[in-house]
Amino acid sequence: MKLSHQTIELKPVHPFVIARGGYAHHRNVIVRLTDTDGLEGFGEAAPNKYYAESVETVVAALAQFKPVIERADPLSLESIETDLNRVIRGNASAKSAVSSALHDLLGKRLGLPVHRIWGLDPSTAPQSSFTIAIAENHELEARVEEARDYPILKIKLGTDRDMEIVRIVRSAAPAKRLRVDANAAWTAKHAVRMSDFLSDQGVEMLEQPVAANDIEGLRFVRERSRLPVFADESCLVATDVAKLAGAVDGINIKLAKCGSLREALRMVHAARALDLQVMAGCMIESSLGISAIAQIAPLLDTADFDGAALLSNDPYRGTTIVGGTIRLSDAPGLGASPIATERPAAAFQSA
Ligand SMILES: [Mg+2]
């Protein structure tokens, strides 16, 4: 197999702002694996500064993966993953792009979507939420209006006006299901106070109220909150799941945190064994990245797959979340393909 990559620039319709800040542009890396018979698999890395990754670290990691990939058996997905983990620790988004491309290649070789190879029924996928990122109060109503087609909104909090934000969104969307994500911005005591208010506002779920390493804080909130509490920043890989049992009601899986589709599956099963609910989410990424994580959608209780729906320039088509309904493509592999544009995309470079 040959490994090549290209960098893409993604523009959200609005700057994607959360408790720790935000950006108007996001740069991701597309990985292409070309098998000896010319078959191609694609995957996307959505590196995030919070998890110590960038386009530069992804490209550097890919260069280190190259010798492993070039001599690998493309069907030996587990061995390749073990080998990549030996080459370099962390770098989850870079690894997840390779994993996604390998699964894409496998599905194309077999002529089946990855979720069908796994025996999953796409009609059992839950609905996806759509995110209302942090914005000025006077902008929020318009944001809710733009999200009119989505029945579930996820509100980003962690500001000094969180209650105002929730009240504005609730009054603009009186009948919608609402979820809240504080992105680790609150103290445990503040989160408990907020949970009473949020529950009164009909919010149904609270994601990552406290700092990532504050497992006891999560437990404190869960024991006193009227809302189910989900861990996102606290739960990166499968070995984190056991540590969270009893401290949260559920976990949020992302490829950019866990590093592969296979680790995502292991997290689902670890969570189920510990009676935890399972959610999966995404970063700002194109429909290629969404199509990868969406392969596990039929196994989820909760999904947040709006990364591409938030974009003004999605360069891929694949899984969509029209009206909140996750529609997995039935094309082989991940089911994603590039959208032809007038300007040809930057060429793929050898890693
Ligand atoms: Mg989150």
Side-chain angles (χ1 to χ4, degrees):
M1 272 183 300
K2 287 214 161 21
L3 171 66
S4 55
H5 65 84
Q6 95 187 155
T7 301
I8 58 169
E9 188 160 322
L10 301 175
K11 297 185 185 77
V13 175
H14 303 288
F16 191 74
V17 180
I18 65 168
R20 49 183 171 264
Y23 303 93
H25 299 86
H26 293 250
R27 287 165 72 222
N28 286 0
V29 179
I30 307 294
V31 164
R32 181 178 67 183
L33 295 178
T34 309
D35 207 348
T36 44
D37 57 2
L39 206 57
E40 292 179 330
F42 295 88
E44 180 170 358
N48 194 293
K49 206 169 79 177
Y50 180 79
Y51 297 109
E53 287 192 84
S54 64
V55 163
E56 290 71 29
T57 66
V58 170
V59 170
L62 293 175
Q64 289 192 261
F65 297 157
K66 193 177 166 75
V68 171
I69 299 291
E70 286 190 337
R71 64 169 184 265
D73 165 5
L75 297 182
S76 296
L77 301 173
E78 294 281 343
S79 297
I80 296 172
E81 197 167 312
T82 304
D83 289 345
L84 296 188
N85 286 331
R86 277 200 198 108
V87 169
I88 189 170
R89 290 173 57 187
N91 291 274
S93 84
K95 288 174 182 170
S96 76
V98 174
S99 167
S100 298
L102 284 167
H103 284 81
D104 193 33
L105 204 52
L106 171 71
K108 286 171 176 169
R109 182 157 306 289
L110 298 180
L112 286 170
V114 171
H115 60 276
R116 299 300 281 170
I117 296 171
W118 288 341
L120 303 180
D121 172 357
S123 72
T124 65
Q127 285 193 309
S128 173
S129 55
F130 187 86
T131 301
I132 305 295
I134 293 172
E136 296 298 329
N137 286 355
H138 69 267
E139 296 172 306
L140 285 168
E141 256 180 71
R143 299 285 179 94
V144 173
E145 172 57 21
E146 287 171 26
R148 74 186 84 82
D149 293 339
Y150 295 91
I152 311 170
L153 301 181
K154 179 161 119 173
I155 310 170
K156 291 291 194 180
L157 295 182
T159 71
D160 54 8
R161 52 188 169 86
D162 286 342
M163 287 189 178
E164 288 170 64
I165 290 174
V166 174
R167 282 198 189 98
I168 293 167
V169 173
R170 176 46 91 202
S171 78
K176 287 198 181 188
R177 295 168 63 188
L178 299 183
R179 299 168 181 164
V180 155
D181 186 354
N183 283 111
W186 295 342
T187 64
K189 282 186 178 165
H190 182 64
V192 172
R193 283 194 296 273
M194 283 298 292
S195 76
D196 287 334
F197 163 77
L198 294 171
S199 177
D200 290 342
Q201 293 287 320
V203 171
E204 63 181 24
M205 187 247 263
L206 174 55
E207 191 177 323
Q208 196 66 42
V210 302
N213 60 2
D214 189 6
I215 307 298
E216 288 316 304
L218 287 171
R219 191 188 311 276
F220 181 93
V221 178
R222 186 196 180 211
E223 283 169 359
R224 292 159 183 81
S225 167
R226 284 149 64 189
L227 302 181
V229 176
F230 275 61
D232 180 358
E233 286 88 337
S234 297
C235 190
L236 308 190
V237 293
T239 50
D240 294 323
V241 180
K243 297 172 201 161
L244 288 159
V248 295
D249 297 284
I251 60 157
N252 186 358
I253 300 168
K254 293 176 185 165
L255 289 176
K257 298 187 297 176
C258 76
S260 82
L261 282 166
R262 313 191 78 73
E263 184 71 359
L265 286 176
R266 287 189 283 270
M267 292 178 80
V268 170
H269 298 308
R272 293 293 177 210
L274 294 160
D275 205 17
L276 291 167
Q277 292 183 61
V278 186
M279 167 181 184
C282 57
M283 301 297 182
I284 294 293
E285 46 197 287
S286 81
S287 283
L288 175 59
I290 299 302
S291 298
I293 188 63
Q295 299 303 314
I296 70 166
L299 294 170
L300 303 175
D301 303 301
T302 303
D304 180 28
F305 290 164
D306 61 355
L310 294 163
L311 297 175
S312 64
N313 69 333
D314 184 0
Y316 281 82
R317 66 164 64 87
T319 295
T320 59
I321 57 162
V322 176
T325 299
I326 299 171
R327 284 214 194 97
L328 285 155
S329 163
D330 55 12
L334 303 179
S337 54
I339 296 170
T341 53
E342 290 156 37
R343 272 191 310 162
F348 279 85
Q349 296 172 283
S350 179

